[in-house]
């Protein structure tokens, strides 16, 4: 079908999808917390939720009998594709900008492939301060246009972390703007944690929860919230095969950098950071890697059964849940799935 024509260049190099499990020490979070401590607490998430009340959307939690049948269990979908700017990123960006003091008057700056860029641009616009956004020249057009719609100044760079960071540093030196990191910022993480907080409030008890992993802001916020609100809920991550640094890091027990990512999931290309990695390391039971073809199929199923357009990065978590390795897990009757975003370039797929 036309939907499947996309991304064959990537799919041709995909490996068989696999499951990477945590080292033994990761099953001992209380010991890890005692030794390491985290930069974000559940109190930070609760405070962020109060701060963001009336600012962010309390997005819907939906289910589909057809998807439940395919998954072999009840699947509750947290629709952050329906959030302002079309992604969960507006939660963290808004929380961080709202917490800035007078330093915000010189503006805010970030580097992002798109969703955090749009989120920060809108958050800055709402506060009435300038936004300076560094984007890779390969960023999807729909996300570039979204940033421009909020009057942000865009600077394009090469599509690698070093170029993004050096370009942002130059802008900060020139303007005095405050850096709002797309994920490795405690205020951003706390804001992202409000998505899973709402999921538990709306959906009730869950046997498991899963979110996609890029830099880890959403995943680490989900871990903090889940462990506090529902300690027995199993926590999983989803990641594309072509950008599997989190899965490799979890397996190795140490933070490994992202090198040469090759996937359609443009929002999951970055490495984890010093704030996100310890939380993810300590709380995830496992990370499921998915092929680009599995992601596309999840996108197709969401459109078919729920009429929702979800971007590749946003569909990765559902792709994992629908895969054979997740379906083989026992004692999971209800799983919460965070659909992280819905910003799809119109030229990417033919719906």
């Amino acid at each position: 079908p036309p939907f499947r024509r996309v991304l064959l260049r990537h799919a041709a190099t995909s490996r068989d999808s696999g499951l990477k499990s945590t080292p033994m020490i990761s099953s001992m979070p209380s010991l890890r917390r005692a030794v390491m401590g985290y930069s974000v607490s559940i109190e930070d998430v609760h405070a962020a939720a109060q701060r963001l009340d009336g600012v962010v959307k309390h997005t819907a939690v939906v289910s589909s009998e057809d998807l439940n049948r395919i998954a072999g269990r009840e699947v509750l979908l947290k629709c952050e594709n329906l959030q302002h700017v079309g992604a969960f990123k507006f939660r963290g960006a808004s929380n961080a900008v709202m917490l800035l003091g007078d330093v915000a008057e010189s503006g805010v700056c970030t580097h992002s492939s798109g969703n955090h860029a749009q989120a920060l641009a809108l958050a800055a616009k709402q506060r009435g301060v300038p936004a300076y956004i560094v984007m890779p020249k390969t960023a999807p057009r729909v996300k570039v246009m979204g940033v421009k719609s909020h009057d942000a100044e865009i600077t394009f760079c090469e599509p690698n972390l070093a170029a993004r960071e050096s370009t942002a540093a130059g802008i900060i030196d020139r303007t005095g703007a405050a850096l709002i990191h797309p994920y490795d910022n405690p205020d951003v993480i706390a804001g992202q944690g409000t998505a899973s907080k709402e999921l538990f409030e709306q959906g009730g008890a869950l046997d498991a929860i899963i979110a996609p992993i890029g830099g880890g802001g959403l995943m680490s916020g989900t871990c903090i919230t889940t462990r506090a609100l529902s300690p027995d809920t199993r926590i999983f991550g989803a990641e594309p095969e072509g950008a599997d640094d989190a899965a490799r890091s979890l397996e190795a027990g140490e933070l490994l950098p992202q090198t040469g990512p090759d996937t359609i999931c443009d929002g999951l290309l970055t490495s984890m950071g010093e704030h996100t990695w310890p939380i993810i390391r300590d709380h995830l039971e496992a990370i499921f890697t998915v092929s680009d073809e599995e992601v596309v199929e999840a996108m197709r199923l969401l459109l078919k059964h729920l009429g929702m357009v979800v971007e590749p990065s946003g569909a990765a978590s559902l792709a994992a849940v629908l895969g054979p390795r997740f379906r083989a897990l026992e004692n999971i009757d209800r799983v919460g799935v965070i659909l992280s975003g819905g910003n799809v370039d119109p030229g990417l797929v033919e719906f």
Side-chain angles (χ1 to χ4, degrees):
F3 197 97
R4 293 181 178 275
R5 293 180 197 157
V6 308
L7 316 160
L8 295 180
R9 176 174 62 85
H10 301 282
T13 61
S14 294
R15 304 183 301 277
D16 291 338
S17 61
L19 169 63
K20 305 295 179 68
S21 299
T22 65
M24 184 177 296
I25 189 66
S26 293
S27 66
M28 301 156 55
S30 59
L31 174 59
R32 283 289 195 183
R33 282 198 300 273
V35 175
M36 298 294 294
Y38 302 130
S39 59
V40 183
S41 68
I42 188 59
E43 288 76 21
D44 297 319
V45 177
H46 286 315
Q50 291 184 331
R51 195 174 295 115
L52 296 174
D53 188 34
V55 176
V56 304
K57 292 182 180 179
H58 286 237
T59 54
V61 173
V62 303
S63 188
S64 159
E65 291 185 4
D66 295 294
L67 293 179
N68 292 347
R69 176 180 49 77
I70 297 170
R73 50 177 55 95
E74 186 178 6
V75 179
L76 300 178
L77 303 166
K78 178 62 171 169
C79 301
E80 285 298 287
N81 54 304
L82 304 179
Q83 186 57 257
H84 295 303
V85 307
F88 76 97
K89 292 283 191 176
F90 188 63
R91 297 174 181 271
S94 295
N95 191 51
V97 170
M98 292 171 76
L99 285 170
L100 285 178
D102 294 340
V103 67
E105 298 308 310
S106 296
V108 292
C109 178
T110 197
H111 53 83
S112 166
S113 62
N115 283 340
H116 178 68
Q118 294 181 82
L120 188 64
L122 179 56
K125 184 178 182 179
Q126 290 180 340
R127 179 157 177 179
V129 299
Y132 304 96
I133 309 296
V134 176
M135 302 186 75
K137 61 184 183 181
T138 54
R141 183 175 181 274
V142 66
K143 297 182 179 181
V144 173
M145 296 307 294
V147 174
K148 288 183 176 180
S149 73
H150 300 305
D151 305 320
E153 178 183 304
I154 301 176
T155 302
F156 292 100
C157 70
E158 292 300 313
N160 60 70
L161 184 60
R164 287 159 62 143
E165 290 181 339
S166 63
T167 304
I171 292 172
I172 290 170
D173 286 343
R174 172 173 62 85
T175 64
L179 176 66
I180 304 293
H181 196 279
Y183 53 88
D184 209 33
N185 176 313
D187 297 333
V188 169
I189 295 170
Q192 317 306 27
T194 63
S196 52
K197 178 178 183 293
E198 289 177 16
L199 174 54
F200 282 106
E201 292 169 349
Q202 294 165 290
L206 299 172
D207 298 308
I209 190 169
I210 186 168
I213 306 176
L218 176 62
M219 188 77 258
S220 55
T222 299
C223 289
I224 293 296
T225 301
T226 302
R227 278 291 167 260
L229 301 183
S230 184
D232 294 331
T233 297
R234 299 163 70 178
I235 309 174
F236 299 98
E239 194 174 37
E241 290 176 349
D244 65 346
D245 61 300
R248 291 185 291 105
S249 296
L250 198 62
E251 187 175 47
E254 62 178 323
L255 180 58
L256 301 176
Q258 182 69 271
T259 57
D262 183 19
T263 175
I264 63 172
C265 301
D266 63 280
L268 305 179
L269 302 180
T270 54
S271 299
M272 294 176 291
E274 64 179 76
H275 295 289
T276 61
W277 160 240
I279 300 171
I280 290 170
R281 174 198 62 202
D282 295 352
H283 293 291
L284 260 66
E285 180 176 330
I287 295 173
F288 290 84
T289 57
V290 293
S291 69
D292 282 349
E293 291 149 316
E294 290 173 308
V295 169
V296 170
E297 176 64 7
M299 294 169 65
R300 187 188 70 81
L301 290 171
L302 286 164
L303 180 65
K304 177 181 178 181
H305 296 302
L306 289 168
M308 291 197 306
V309 175
V310 177
E311 66 183 87
S313 301
S317 49
L318 178 62
V321 165
L322 299 181
R325 288 176 173 82
F326 195 96
R327 285 191 284 112
L329 295 176
E330 298 180 348
N331 302 317
I332 298 178
D333 295 324
R334 304 182 86 233
V335 57
V337 175
I338 300 179
L339 303 177
S340 59
N343 293 309
V344 182
D345 211 329
L348 181 64
V349 286
E350 297 178 35
F351 292 102

